[in-house]
Amino acid sequence: MLLYFHGGGYCSGSIQSHRRLVTEAGRRRELRTLAIAYRLAPEHPFPAAYDDALSAWQFLRNQGIAASHIATGGDSAGAGLTLALISRLRDAHEELPGCAWLISPWADLTMSGSTLASKAAVDPIIHKEYLNELADAYLPADMDRKDPRVSPLYVDFRNFPPMLTQVGSDETLLDDAARLAARAGAAAVAVTLQIWPQMIHAWPLWNAHLEPGRRALENAGAFIRNALEH
């Protein structure tokens, strides 16, 4: 089973916008999929999405599905929700999913990544000013942006399940993904970081017309099946 949280900066995106990505990932490796329409800001700021992620997990567990048979995944903000959910489960001493799949993760809402500047000229989608607007809409004004519930770069990764992180070389969020993989790896997590040449933010969304998008989904499906079978 793949439990998937869509991207959109906690303010947009839907199970419709991500339908093809999720269904193709499942179809390629015969995984059942569940995509979640969590509540969005600014109407529903933190912790709405954070709590909805836990509710989705509990729904699957209440169906009798073993935690080790569930892969959790997401792109951009959805990748952040994925990591926040795993951290929440670990801290509550609950069983954890079998693996995590992260596409173009937005992991640091302090916006301290170096590639926010160095890749700004080549990334056609995501820029620092836009991310700040999204963060302002999602977070309470007095909230620390290093809080690991919203910036999973600062999570304690000990005992996390295997992680696959896929990111494009032309993304302003490239440094978020690289730092995330390094921190998880330093905590003895089995991490695979794939940097796809000349790809942009969440490129597997365009898999219908983009061959690297299809290959990324194929790689992700293989990773998930291997992790859940072990």
Side-chain angles (χ1 to χ4, degrees):
M1 168 67 72
L2 169 63
L3 174 63
Y4 195 88
F5 303 104
H6 67 77
Y10 303 103
C11 295
S12 64
S14 69
I15 57 176
Q16 286 77 30
S17 64
H18 285 65
R19 182 182 298 277
R20 182 181 172 92
L21 185 157
V22 177
T23 56
E24 284 300 309
R27 182 178 295 119
R28 289 167 185 271
R29 294 288 169 167
E30 297 182 338
L31 297 164
R32 289 186 293 165
T33 59
L34 178 63
I36 302 303
Y38 55 88
R39 289 170 291 173
L40 299 175
E43 293 83 3
H44 303 284
F46 177 87
Y50 178 72
D51 289 341
D52 288 351
L54 179 62
S55 295
W57 172 262
Q58 291 172 335
F59 169 79
L60 286 182
R61 297 288 282 121
N62 288 338
Q63 306 305 305
I65 302 173
S68 61
H69 292 172
I70 303 172
T72 52
D75 61 287
S76 196
L81 283 177
T82 297
L83 294 173
L85 170 63
I86 296 172
S87 178
R88 189 173 192 176
L89 294 171
R90 191 272 317 277
D91 291 348
H93 306 290
E94 299 283 349
E95 291 184 87
L96 302 182
C99 64
W101 170 34
L102 315 172
I103 303 172
S104 303
W106 186 23
D108 179 16
L109 271 62
T110 73
M111 268 64 85
S112 66
S114 63
T115 48
L116 284 171
S118 63
K119 295 292 183 178
V122 293
D123 189 327
I125 299 177
I126 304 297
H127 298 98
K128 188 173 183 177
E129 297 77 13
Y130 174 54
L131 292 176
N132 274 318
E133 291 178 3
L134 295 172
D136 287 344
Y138 178 54
L139 301 179
D142 60 347
M143 188 169 189
D144 182 0
R145 293 194 177 189
K146 283 190 174 182
D147 189 312
R149 295 173 296 171
V150 299
S151 289
L153 178 65
Y154 305 102
V155 157
D156 174 1
F157 285 97
R158 285 177 295 177
N159 300 318
F160 265 46
M163 293 168 42
L164 169 65
T165 301
Q166 298 176 313
V167 65
S169 69
D170 288 356
E171 293 197 48
T172 55
L173 290 178
L174 173 60
D175 197 38
D176 275 32
R179 289 183 295 160
L180 192 70
R183 287 180 63 91
V189 177
V191 180
T192 302
L193 173 64
Q194 297 180 349
I195 302 176
W196 288 70
Q198 299 179 307
M199 290 297 105
I200 63 172
H201 188 68
W203 77 99
L205 275 170
W206 293 279
N207 64 84
H209 305 289
L210 189 64
E211 194 270 338
R214 294 190 290 275
R215 284 194 289 116
L217 294 182
E218 185 68 32
N219 285 3
F223 165 82
I224 291 169
R225 289 294 297 196
N226 182 68
L228 298 188
E229 288 170 358
H230 291 83

